[in-house]
Amino acid sequence: MNQKERYESAKEIYAKIGVDTEAALAKLQETRISMHCWQADDVRGFEGTGTLSGGIQTTGNYPGGARNPDEVFADLDKALSLIPGTHKINVHANYAIAEPGETIDRDTIQPRHFKRWVEFAKAHHCGLDFNPTFFSHPKANGLTLSSPDEEIRQFWIRHGIACIRISEYFANETGYPCVMNIWTGDGSKDVPADRLGPRMRYADSIDQILACGYDKSKVYVTVESKVFGIGVEAYTVGSAEFALSYAMTRGITPLMDNGHYHPTEVVSDKIPALLVFNDKIALHITRPIRWDSDHVVAFDDETREMMKEVVRCNALDRVFLATDYFDASINRVGALVIGMRNVQKAILNALLTPNEDLKKLQDEGDTSRLLLLQEEYKLLPLGDVWNEFCARNNVPGGACWYKEIQEYEKNVLSLRK
Ligand code: RNT
Ligand code: ZN
């Protein structure tokens, strides 16, 4: 059977359980995922200032990581060409591009320093999201937005406000709302003497950033929580309770990164809990192994379960989806493609599940049949529908796209020495 015939056969199989594959494909087509730019260069950015801080870490030294804007854009372009659909690019503030000879700092970045990002996004019909960078900077050696040093704290508040302006610029230029995510690595390695003070200051700092005034229909400010970081094991200022309470009391959007919880906690269960109370929520989709290791997103149980929740809560337009991982041990462009495609497959899997029927079984108390069907549906021919989606988007299906990554590695990445 060729691809078309396989799809037609899959379509019939799904139709028998009441699932319309065409509707699922149409829905997947309009679902944008924000692809993080920082997998391309191990979160280095364009400032040339050296090491990553904030308690996050990339491990591995696979050759060919992007070293400058041209290389990052080339790599993102390659990745996008192998990912079906149209998406968004998630940019960090340390990817500002200064004019030759110009010195900029985090508190003086302006929209014009991101002009090339806008051009790149427009050329790819992508939206843009943004992140202030409260790490990898001399003023981020200790606390940032929660710092007791007023000068340091004000520096980072100015950075936050500068980022709101850039987010507005992104939204205006691309025509898509911009999600601006606030995350800091603020915390302490050892048991703190004061857990309240830094949190009071963190809240006040974000209040000051938000007070700059911005169009809430264009910029969605999110706050991302975390449980701990490397070197910041004992105390995290922006904990789950802090970030969620902050976002909800200020009418902004909570962001959950599924690497940021205790290992047996699952974000899939938190999604519907937050949807009861929030019009919008945001996700960083990653793969934690034992800790916030930021492995490439896999088509694993929890990714599937998270996407099932988004879909069966009918919330594809209420959840901002973004990838967030940084693996430097494998081909970085391939890593972007693998992770993005896995998120899409998980969404498709959810769209191809007869969710209303399963909910009915739950409500009727027919839990044995519910278990049976949930297990049976795992064996349906999802791959044939996925390959059809790729074909319709002129992107190779299955694993054959990897040939292009190998070519790219040979002709482009391996020349970066
Ligand atoms: C870190 C957070 C955060 C970062 C990016 C680079 O633990 O997940 O989202 O990964 O801001
Ligand atoms: Zn994250």
Side-chain angles (χ1 to χ4, degrees):
M1 272 201 280
N2 63 29
Q3 161 54 31
K4 265 270 157 297
E5 290 160 350
R6 294 182 73 104
Y7 171 65
E8 289 308 324
S9 143
K11 189 175 169 178
E12 271 174 40
I13 294 170
Y14 280 107
K16 284 202 189 106
I17 57 160
V19 169
D20 177 353
T21 53
E22 286 300 320
L25 288 172
K27 201 83 199 150
L28 185 60
Q29 193 69 52
E30 64 189 40
T31 303
R32 285 172 188 260
I33 301 157
S34 192
M35 182 173 84
H36 61 309
C37 74
W38 51 91
Q39 162 63 40
D41 70 338
D42 314 336
V43 208
R44 274 196 296 267
F46 301 148
E47 298 168 327
T49 43
T51 48
L52 186 59
S53 76
I56 54 178
Q57 213 154 71
T58 53
T59 52
N61 51 6
Y62 198 84
R67 297 163 302 180
N68 53 50
D70 288 341
E71 292 179 355
V72 166
F73 288 125
D75 291 358
L76 298 179
D77 177 72
K78 187 77 214 172
L80 286 176
S81 76
L82 298 170
I83 298 164
T86 11
H87 298 280
K88 290 179 105 181
I89 302 290
N90 207 358
V91 185
H92 238 290
N94 60 335
Y95 290 76
I97 303 172
E99 298 288 335
E102 185 190 21
T103 323
I104 46 173
D105 203 348
R106 299 275 172 87
D107 64 336
T108 56
I109 47 169
Q110 293 174 35
R112 65 184 171 84
H113 300 120
F114 293 87
K115 191 164 169 281
R116 283 193 64 189
W117 285 103
V118 166
E119 286 163 4
F120 181 86
K122 285 183 177 169
H124 293 81
H125 311 287
C126 283
L128 285 171
D129 291 326
F130 200 51
N131 305 261
T133 310
F134 298 105
F135 53 86
S136 302
H137 186 279
K139 290 195 171 68
N141 281 332
L143 305 178
T144 63
L145 287 178
S146 67
S147 177
D149 180 331
E150 195 52 21
E151 232 171 84
I152 299 253
R153 193 167 77 94
Q154 286 302 325
F155 172 85
W156 290 111
I157 291 170
R158 289 197 300 279
H159 175 57
I161 294 171
C163 289
I164 297 247
R165 298 295 164 237
I166 293 157
S167 302
E168 284 183 314
Y169 164 69
F170 281 179
N172 287 333
E173 289 290 325
T174 63
Y176 298 101
C178 175
V179 174
M180 189 191 101
N181 178 47
I182 295 178
W183 170 75
T184 78
D186 287 17
S188 67
K189 181 180 176 73
D190 221 325
V191 183
D194 178 12
R195 290 185 156 92
L196 181 64
R199 288 185 172 136
M200 297 289 285
R201 290 190 294 270
Y202 191 15
D204 177 72
S205 296
I206 314 176
D207 283 348
Q208 289 193 41
I209 294 171
L210 299 179
C212 75
Y214 62 96
D215 184 340
K216 285 196 154 194
S217 70
K218 290 183 179 166
V219 177
Y220 286 83
V221 177
T222 60
V223 186
E224 177 179 12
S225 70
K226 191 158 177 173
V227 61
F228 82 95
I230 297 293
V232 201
E233 289 88 356
Y235 167 65
T236 294
V237 182
S239 60
E241 294 74 13
F242 175 91
L244 184 55
S245 308
Y246 184 86
M248 295 195 59
T249 51
R250 275 28 174 212
I252 61 169
T253 305
L255 185 146
M256 296 188 289
D257 177 313
N258 65 302
H260 289 192
Y261 296 85
H262 290 279
T264 58
E265 271 185 278
V266 282
V267 164
S268 51
D269 183 64
K270 300 175 194 291
I271 292 169
L274 263 54
L275 283 173
V276 176
F277 302 101
N278 292 273
D279 176 39
K280 301 258 196 266
I281 64 169
L283 296 177
H284 272 183
I285 308 170
T286 187
R287 178 163 51 111
I289 298 192
R290 303 189 188 281
W291 69 291
D292 183 32
S293 61
D294 284 292
H295 281 71
V296 178
V297 176
F299 182 65
D300 55 13
D301 284 351
E302 176 55 6
T303 307
R304 287 203 303 264
E305 202 62 20
M306 281 164 62
M307 293 309 105
K308 269 197 237 162
E309 285 303 338
V310 174
V311 167
R312 64 194 171 197
C313 295
N314 232 326
L316 273 170
D317 56 351
R318 293 172 62 197
V319 183
F320 297 112
L321 302 170
T323 47
D324 179 17
Y325 50 82
F326 19 96
D327 189 338
S329 74
I330 58 176
N331 183 302
R332 294 170 183 79
V333 186
L336 279 169
V337 181
I338 293 169
M340 284 287 285
R341 286 171 69 120
N342 281 338
V343 176
Q344 289 182 291
K345 285 181 221 158
I347 297 169
L348 181 60
N349 175 64
L351 290 167
L352 292 175
T353 303
N355 294 305
E356 292 313 313
D357 292 355
L358 295 177
K359 285 181 194 173
K360 201 160 158 267
L361 290 178
Q362 173 177 326
D363 291 344
E364 288 166 354
D366 198 346
T367 45
S368 316
R369 190 166 166 75
L370 177 58
L371 175 64
L372 163 77
L373 291 180
Q374 284 188 317
E375 291 306 302
E376 244 358 91
Y377 293 159
K378 290 179 179 169
L379 302 183
L380 292 179
L382 168 70
D384 294 333
V385 185
W386 167 250
N387 285 333
E388 176 67 13
F389 184 67
C390 292
R392 291 186 190 182
N393 282 280
N394 296 314
V395 164
C400 33
W401 60 270
Y402 201 71
K403 281 200 303 283
E404 294 205 29
I405 293 290
Q406 285 173 311
E407 285 286 295
Y408 190 69
E409 178 160 337
K410 190 165 131 243
N411 300 328
V412 180
L413 301 179
S414 71
L415 307 180
R416 294 176 186 168
K417 294 234 161 80

